[in-house]
Amino acid sequence: MSSCNNSIPQPVVFVLAGIPGLESYHHWFSLPFFLVFIIAVIGNITIIFIIHVEKSLHEPMFLLLAMLSTVDLSLVSATVPRMLGIFWLDAKEISIKGCLTQMFFIPSFYVMESGILLAMAFDRFVAICNPLRYTTILANNTLVKMGMAVIARTMAVLIPAPILAKTLTSFRTNIIPYSYCAYMAMVQIACGDVSNHIVYGLMVIVTSIGVDLFFISLSYGMILRAVFQIPSWEARHKALSTCGSHLCVIVLFYSPVVFSVLAQTFGYQMPSHIQIIVDNLYFLVPPMINPLIYGARTKQIRERILQLLHYHPK
């Protein structure tokens, strides 16, 4: 890293390095990234389409799933094409305005997805712990309010990011060692006192991912307590099976974040290219896997997909 003795003013154009140290392998990375993008787009469009046309799926759980698929589709559309441009065309330059735009929208979709997963945990909690009032508690107007709350929380948490980044006036270099414009990546190459920016970055994680993960854990703690009070083993299994897909998605979504936080907490310094690959997993793997999980584990969606493929099981 270059010294601040040779600092430069805020550049008009930044350079995205992709995956530093592995530039010669960019064309190989592009293949799985492209495959992930295609699977994610087809899978999430299919989920949205099926829920839209199938009136029997206009229930809270499936409407929340449609919201999740919409956010997943937006997330991969905001990240992967730019990454492929770097890997295939060496299109590494990005304007300051484009950088600030990425800095807001990419984490926004991620935080929205976390909020929707929390709403889905609440949906499962009500379905298992208060089934008789399920449709009353989770009426359409409640779902709209939950969606608006997710958007409002996202805006409140992430609007400061591009505003604060714009206040960074001097930099060691104009090369951002990432495949997209991340707030903390820009802070790392900035000169001067960046302590306030670091505190803000931590606050974003705590007030979004941290809070959501806490309440999801609390919801499933109460769900397990309620389930194990059911005397019938068959009824217990049926209740838990309704949560299976959501639990798989939660583990998949939060695992990279928890891994990174634990690694930093215990002082393990990952090589920069490994850290960047893990960070990319935040945005790539869940949008691809989520529709596969729900398509495979949800009977109504699975049957509708088979009908679309003109396959009629006996």
Side-chain angles (χ1 to χ4, degrees), residues 124-157:
R124 293 299 83 204
F125 168 74
V126 175
I128 291 174
C129 297
N130 202 348
L132 298 179
R133 297 189 60 206
Y134 177 69
T135 54
T136 303
I137 295 173
L138 289 170
N140 286 342
N141 63 333
T142 303
L143 294 179
V144 171
K145 290 177 182 177
M146 291 168 71
M148 295 300 293
V150 168
I151 294 173
R153 194 272 300 268
T154 301
M155 298 286 285
V157 168

Side-chain angles (χ1 to χ4, degrees), residues 1 17 35 41-42 57 80 87 122 128 137 151 158 225-226 236 253 257 312:
M1 184 177 291
L35 184 62
V41 169
I42 293 174
L57 298 181
V80 180
F87 297 154
F122 178 69
I128 291 174
I137 295 173
I151 294 173
L158 287 167
R225 180 182 176 185
R236 287 184 191 177
F253 182 80
V257 180
H312 302 284

Side-chain angles (χ1 to χ4, degrees), residues 42-63:
I42 293 174
N44 286 292
I45 288 177
T46 301
I47 294 290
I48 295 168
F49 174 76
I50 289 174
I51 294 173
H52 174 71
V53 300
E54 191 66 45
K55 302 298 182 183
S56 64
L57 298 181
H58 291 186
E59 299 176 0
M61 182 179 76
F62 295 108
L63 294 176

Side-chain angles (χ1 to χ4, degrees), residues 15-31 83-92 175-179 272-274 276-277 280:
V15 176
L16 298 173
I19 304 177
L22 298 176
E23 288 86 356
S24 60
Y25 296 96
H26 275 179
H27 61 288
W28 291 111
F29 280 106
S30 70
L31 299 178
M83 293 177 183
L84 293 177
I86 295 171
F87 297 154
W88 284 344
L89 306 174
D90 203 34
K92 297 182 177 182
I175 300 174
I176 297 176
Y178 270 71
S179 50
S272 60
H273 60 277
I274 298 297
I276 291 168
I277 291 171
N280 284 331

Side-chain angles (χ1 to χ4, degrees), residues 3-237:
S3 170
C4 275
N5 293 332
N6 300 314
S7 65
I8 59 174
Q10 187 178 83
V12 176
V13 173
F14 285 94
V15 176
L16 298 173
I19 304 177
L22 298 176
E23 288 86 356
S24 60
Y25 296 96
H26 275 179
H27 61 288
W28 291 111
F29 280 106
S30 70
L31 299 178
F33 278 42
F34 179 69
L35 184 62
V36 165
F37 180 67
I38 295 300
I39 294 173
V41 169
I42 293 174
N44 286 292
I45 288 177
T46 301
I47 294 290
I48 295 168
F49 174 76
I50 289 174
I51 294 173
H52 174 71
V53 300
E54 191 66 45
K55 302 298 182 183
S56 64
L57 298 181
H58 291 186
E59 299 176 0
M61 182 179 76
F62 295 108
L63 294 176
L64 288 169
L65 176 56
M67 293 183 196
L68 183 69
S69 291
T70 301
V71 172
D72 278 339
L73 191 59
S74 302
L75 184 56
V76 293
S77 299
T79 53
V80 180
R82 182 76 205 190
M83 293 177 183
L84 293 177
I86 295 171
F87 297 154
W88 284 344
L89 306 174
D90 203 34
K92 297 182 177 182
E93 292 189 351
I94 183 170
S95 68
I96 180 64
K97 289 183 179 179
C99 193
L100 296 177
T101 301
Q102 268 199 343
M103 191 180 296
F104 173 75
F105 280 104
I106 292 177
S108 289
F109 293 133
Y110 188 80
V111 170
M112 284 183 194
E113 180 159 350
S114 180
I116 293 171
L117 289 177
L118 174 58
M120 295 174 82
F122 178 69
D123 166 83
R124 293 299 83 204
F125 168 74
V126 175
I128 291 174
C129 297
N130 202 348
L132 298 179
R133 297 189 60 206
Y134 177 69
T135 54
T136 303
I137 295 173
L138 289 170
N140 286 342
N141 63 333
T142 303
L143 294 179
V144 171
K145 290 177 182 177
M146 291 168 71
M148 295 300 293
V150 168
I151 294 173
R153 194 272 300 268
T154 301
M155 298 286 285
V157 168
L158 287 167
I159 280 179
I163 296 173
L164 289 171
K166 189 67 176 174
T167 65
L168 297 169
T169 56
S170 63
F171 293 82
R172 297 181 177 89
T173 177
N174 70 331
I175 300 174
I176 297 176
Y178 270 71
S179 50
Y180 59 93
C181 275
Y183 175 77
M184 290 308 298
M186 184 179 285
V187 170
Q188 287 171 4
I189 63 172
C191 292
D193 183 9
V194 295
S195 56
N196 290 337
H197 297 272
I198 294 172
V199 170
Y200 166 72
L202 293 173
M203 285 180 60
V204 170
I205 295 174
V206 171
T207 58
S208 54
I209 308 302
V211 169
D212 292 346
L213 191 54
F214 171 78
F215 282 108
I216 288 171
S217 302
L218 185 63
S219 295
Y220 272 100
M222 291 188 285
I223 287 171
L224 289 174
R225 180 182 176 185
V227 166
F228 285 111
Q229 289 177 347
I230 301 173
S232 168
W233 169 251
E234 184 179 349
R236 287 184 191 177
H237 181 266

Side-chain angles (χ1 to χ4, degrees), residues 236-250:
R236 287 184 191 177
H237 181 266
K238 184 177 180 180
L240 288 174
S241 66
T242 65
C243 302
S245 299
H246 186 236
L247 281 171
C248 291
V249 169
I250 287 171

